Amino acid sequence: MNGQSTSPDLRIAAMLLAIGLVAMTSASVEVSMNMHGDALYYFKNQSLFMAVGVLLALVLARIPLEVHRKLAPWYGVISLALLTLTLIPGLGHTVNNSTRWLDLGPFRFQPSELIKPVLVLWMAAYVAQHGTLLETRLRGVLLPLGIVAMTVSLLLLQPDFGTACVIAATALCMLFLCGGYLRALLGCALCATVAMGGLAVAAPYRLMRIQTFLDPWADPFNSGYQLTQSLIAIGSGGMWGRGLGDGGQKHFYLPEMHTDFVFAVAAEELGLIGAVAIILLFAMFLTAAFRIARQAQAREQHFAAAVAYGVGLWISLQAFVNIAVNMGALPTKGLTLPLMSAGGSSMLATLAGLGLLWRARYEAETLPGTGRAGSRRGRAA
């Protein structure tokens, strides 16, 4: 694809992948040696999934988005079926009281990661086909959000509250940016916020997370242990960090240091400068994705625009939620940091999303406007 090597979104993704691989490797050396007898076990595993993910992204970047628009309903059916399979005893694999994985021989697959790019495609296909209805009628908003509600319900049964929140927020923001009926969206957003808030306090373990979030130092060696250790890691990094590989919290003080809390390890070793750089890279990625979306909207390529909005929102929202959790600005959730945390399913899904984004950019730059029925307007992003 012409110009792919100089696109800002590609450069930003490459930098995040490089920083993430280094930070994840540093964070995982001790746990790799302890669990697998090989200090570079997670490095090798992550490198393999990165290579496969980059290949997948390149393949998706070559496939016209029109193909995905036609197949989006089937993608959705398959993804929902896989989510359902995790709830069947004997098929779903449970880790830390959450059944989110399917065993596929040599590795485990997490359907909740697949549902993220699939939901973006499904929502984008709906926007492209029902743009006028979406802008002017309540039912134009309720139909896609009904599918989102069904997906969220399956995620909550696993339970996976963090992914459910990211998916719901991504869907609402996509509909808003693509010109959805504003009063209906505001009402749905209010209902979703109340519902999620009620679910958060209804489950005892979620209520404990909220209480811990409000005062982690009240019980720093039990319920507040993970958050206090994360805060210690970030605070001890200072301005310039303790040096790559010299962090102390990764020595079995900070749980999930190579997955959910890799940002805390990076902040400890790279300091405030490194932490701010990571946050800025994700902000730049969101800006680049929105620029692609606006360019596609200008050419009336409504499906491409919605895909660009969706991918940018999903990856950036998940990143900022993960970082906020690491910094104690949000209650603890089991969300990875895209492109940086260890996790094959997350890496493959994120790179697949990037492949779709790069295709959207290519079509927005080179193809003429389609003029298909869709959202005749978008909101300034």
Side-chain angles (χ1 to χ4, degrees), residues 112-128:
S112 59
E113 293 295 338
L114 174 64
I115 202 70
K116 296 170 185 175
V118 166
L119 187 73
V120 166
L121 288 173
W122 190 90
M123 294 288 289
Y126 180 87
V127 167

Side-chain angles (χ1 to χ4, degrees), residues 262-321:
V262 69
F263 177 81
V265 175
E268 181 182 17
E269 298 189 350
L270 303 177
L272 178 63
I273 299 299
V276 170
I278 292 171
I279 295 171
L280 287 177
L281 283 172
F282 279 110
M284 291 166 62
F285 170 78
L286 180 62
T287 302
F290 275 28
R291 188 179 300 117
I292 293 168
R294 289 196 299 271
Q295 187 175 9
Q297 279 181 330
R299 292 184 173 226
E300 295 188 345
Q301 296 175 359
H302 308 300
F303 182 69
V307 167
Y309 277 135
V311 172
L313 286 164
W314 145 42
I315 294 176
S316 302
L317 279 172
Q318 181 168 327
F320 294 135
V321 168

Side-chain angles (χ1 to χ4, degrees), residues 42-190:
Y42 285 108
F43 167 78
K44 296 172 184 176
N45 199 54
Q46 189 82 334
S47 298
L48 174 62
F49 280 109
M50 282 176 56
V52 175
V54 168
L55 179 61
L56 175 62
L58 292 174
V59 170
L60 290 174
R62 300 263 175 192
I63 299 175
L65 287 179
E66 179 64 13
V67 174
H68 298 300
R69 189 186 70 82
K70 293 178 179 178
L71 293 175
W74 294 104
Y75 293 162
V77 170
I78 293 171
S79 299
L80 290 175
L82 291 173
L83 273 181
T84 304
L85 287 178
T86 62
L87 304 175
I88 298 176
L91 294 179
H93 182 84
T94 302
V95 176
N96 294 331
N97 297 318
S98 295
T99 308
R100 306 176 186 174
W101 293 265
L102 292 173
D103 278 316
L104 299 178
F107 67 95
R108 295 178 188 137
F109 170 67
Q110 193 171 354
S112 59
E113 293 295 338
L114 174 64
I115 202 70
K116 296 170 185 175
V118 166
L119 187 73
V120 166
L121 288 173
W122 190 90
M123 294 288 289
Y126 180 87
V127 167
Q129 186 173 354
H130 302 288
T132 303
L133 182 65
L134 177 70
E135 293 172 1
T136 58
R137 295 288 185 269
L138 174 62
R139 61 188 178 92
V141 170
L142 292 181
L143 178 59
L145 291 183
I147 301 296
V148 174
M150 182 169 59
T151 304
V152 166
S153 298
L154 289 172
L155 290 168
L156 292 174
L157 290 173
Q158 292 186 346
D160 191 350
F161 190 77
T163 298
C165 289
V166 168
I167 282 179
T170 299
L172 283 167
C173 290
M174 281 182 69
L175 293 177
F176 171 76
L177 290 169
C178 293
Y181 189 39
L182 185 56
R183 282 189 294 177
L185 285 174
L186 289 174
C188 291
L190 178 61

